[in-house]
Amino acid sequence: MIRILEDDPVTNAGTGSNLNLDGLVECDASLMDGTTLGFGSVGAVSDFKNPISVAATILQESDQGPLSLGRIPPIMLVGPGVAQWVDTMDYSPSHAGLERVPRVLSADALAKARELMSETGEAKEQDKGNSGVTDCESVGGSLVTMEALRRYVRFQSMLNKAVVATGSDSGTTALDGQTESLQKPGSIKDSDGKSRKRNRTGTAEPMSSNSGSSTKRQNAQEALEIDDDRLQDTVGAICIDGQGRVAAGVSSGGIAMKFPGRVSEAALFGAGCWAQDATEETDGFACSLTGAGEQITKTLLARTCIDTYLVHDDLSEAAHEILDRFMKSPLLRGYPDKHAGWIGVRVDREADGRAELVFAHTTQTMTVMSKKNPESTKVVSTRMVKL
């Protein structure tokens, strides 16, 4: 199921994912098996069409037990190490969705990206036709799409303006990997901490307070205009079979303009997903999460979900408790806004063939077709499921 979602360029997972500061895709994904309690994940990976398939392969290999000389098999791999590990496993390119893709965009794709950047960030209609690449198609066989490139250009424009206005960040990385200075002309802060605008001769002059306010308003307006681009994010799925066995997975391209190498909750144990079958003592449970990765990671939210759900008879009450604890967590004191959401299922160990679905979120939307009322801080919904 997650492979299907990764292949759909509408989602921020696999093909069509957000681009990092270097203009490249880096994906995170994980999978947990409720029967074996096995876990496998990848972080900051760009070389595979379906990151979730690599995570599944890592899970399967780790479940086989120790390697030669008693070495412990990995449950998480990141960056270039992912491709190196797959090569040592001697899998064929078509095995379990392990299709390779170019990590770096081709010269033609880079030329097209530069052309977009030289314009207003919006591709011309004739350009689309001449390039032969539609918004949703992969560029140069990579995980990058033209729509993702256009979003990147728009975000980079906003970043440039923010840097010029505030004087923070000395530069940003362009699509060709070259660092471009953003402070000529721009702004600096002298030793007294006051913002000053750099003129074209390199000297500093006082910056009016209205200038910063105007830039903030403009950036806010641009953020509103690209709000639709943010609606599709991390994807996840829960599987439950006729015997009540469960599994859960999650896959994400991460936040736009993230620093290269950043790993989200989608790759981290106890944060992005959880699954465990029912036993004689406990119900079964599985969940998949989305939201602000750093916030979910700091609160180990997937593990928090299972620990809370298994001691509550009422799933709705449990969800409210989890969200309240998340929003009030001292670990998140530095974040003005707190964003998390999940889908979950609890399998009743005593009632044959009965399970209960729950989804909850503080995010503005979730693609279980749920939208938060602007006046509320959270949404919780539950429903019964017959296996």
Side-chain angles (χ1 to χ4, degrees):
M1 184 65 244
I2 293 179
R3 274 205 300 269
I4 293 173
L5 295 171
E6 287 178 337
D7 291 341
D8 192 325
V10 171
T11 67
N12 177 29
T15 303
S17 290
N18 286 329
L19 306 188
N20 65 14
L21 276 174
D22 287 341
L24 298 173
V25 169
E26 288 186 332
C27 294
D28 307 318
S30 64
L31 197 67
M32 187 165 181
D33 183 337
T35 302
T36 66
L37 300 182
F39 178 84
S41 75
V42 293
V45 62
S46 304
D47 312 279
F48 295 90
K49 184 171 182 285
N50 294 110
I52 194 66
S53 296
V54 189
T57 306
I58 292 173
L59 186 161
Q60 292 161 7
E61 291 294 331
S62 67
D63 277 351
Q64 299 303 311
L67 305 173
S68 58
L69 298 179
R71 292 174 300 145
I72 299 175
I75 63 171
M76 177 182 177
L77 291 168
V78 298
V82 179
Q84 183 178 349
W85 179 85
V86 171
D87 289 340
T88 64
M89 292 295 103
D90 198 28
Y91 285 112
S92 66
S94 60
H95 176 83
L98 301 184
E99 180 181 343
R100 300 291 182 94
V101 295
R103 176 179 176 82
V104 181
L105 291 179
S106 66
D108 289 343
L110 286 174
K112 182 62 182 176
R114 293 191 189 98
E115 181 182 345
L116 283 172
M117 294 175 68
S118 68
E119 302 292 337
T120 62
E122 297 294 334
K124 297 178 180 178
E125 290 300 321
Q126 61 267 31
D127 290 339
K128 294 182 187 178
N130 293 337
S131 70
V133 179
T134 63
D135 281 358
C136 294
E137 288 181 331
S138 168
V139 178
S142 68
L143 297 176
V144 179
T145 62
M146 288 306 300
E147 176 59 28
L149 280 173
R150 188 147 41 250
R151 286 200 306 267
Y152 174 77
V153 171
R154 297 166 77 181
F155 277 120
Q156 190 176 61
S157 174
M158 292 173 62
L159 179 61
N160 291 354
K161 293 176 183 177
V163 169
V164 169
T166 64
S168 62
D169 292 293
S170 59
T172 187
T173 306
L175 283 170
D176 59 1
Q178 302 299 315
T179 300
E180 298 179 341
S181 172
L182 297 177
Q183 289 192 334
K184 296 183 180 179
S187 65
I188 59 174
K189 289 186 178 180
D190 38 12
S191 57
D192 62 2
K194 295 180 180 179
S195 295
R196 297 178 181 271
K197 182 170 61 179
R198 186 192 299 274
N199 61 26
R200 294 186 184 276
T201 64
T203 58
E205 60 189 36
M207 178 183 291
S208 70
S209 59
N210 289 338
S211 173
S213 299
S214 175
T215 302
K216 287 182 179 180
R217 285 194 298 270
Q218 186 174 356
N219 285 342
Q221 180 60 38
E222 290 186 29
L224 288 174
E225 292 173 358
I226 60 175
D227 198 49
D228 286 345
D229 294 332
R230 299 175 175 177
L231 294 180
Q232 310 298 335
D233 199 48
T234 300
V235 302
I238 294 170
C239 178
I240 178 169
D241 69 8
Q243 284 72 50
R245 296 173 296 191
V246 293
V250 60
S251 180
S252 176
I255 57 176
M257 308 302 286
K258 66 183 179 180
F259 202 87
R262 180 257 189 184
V263 174
S264 73
E265 88 288 352
L268 300 176
F269 184 76
C273 68
W274 192 274
Q276 66 181 54
D277 290 354
T279 67
E280 293 182 356
E281 293 79 26
T282 64
D283 294 335
F285 182 77
C287 62
S288 180
L289 289 87
T290 183
E294 283 70 19
Q295 297 174 9
I296 291 173
T297 298
K298 291 186 72 173
T299 54
L300 286 176
L301 201 53
R303 184 58 190 261
T304 300
C305 282
I306 181 172
D307 288 343
T308 307
Y309 278 125
L310 294 186
V311 297
H312 273 270
D313 292 331
D314 190 308
L315 283 192
S316 179
E317 289 182 2
H320 280 285
E321 178 181 323
I322 295 166
L323 289 177
D324 287 340
R325 288 168 56 190
F326 172 75
M327 291 187 288
K328 296 175 183 178
S329 172
L331 296 168
L332 307 182
R333 190 177 293 119
Y335 298 95
D337 300 310
K338 303 173 181 66
H339 301 294
W342 65 85
I343 53 173
V345 64
R346 184 172 66 183
V347 182
D348 194 328
R349 68 185 185 278
E350 297 178 348
D352 184 34
R354 189 178 76 180
E356 191 170 4
L357 173 70
V358 59
F359 68 85
H361 59 99
T362 65
T363 53
Q364 183 60 36
T365 59
M366 275 187 65
T367 46
V368 287
M369 302 308 292
S370 175
K371 185 172 183 178
K372 181 167 65 70
N373 185 316
E375 297 180 357
S376 67
T377 59
K378 56 190 175 181
V379 171
V380 173
S381 178
T382 64
R383 61 194 66 172
M384 296 303 300
V385 179
K386 289 294 290 184
L387 302 185

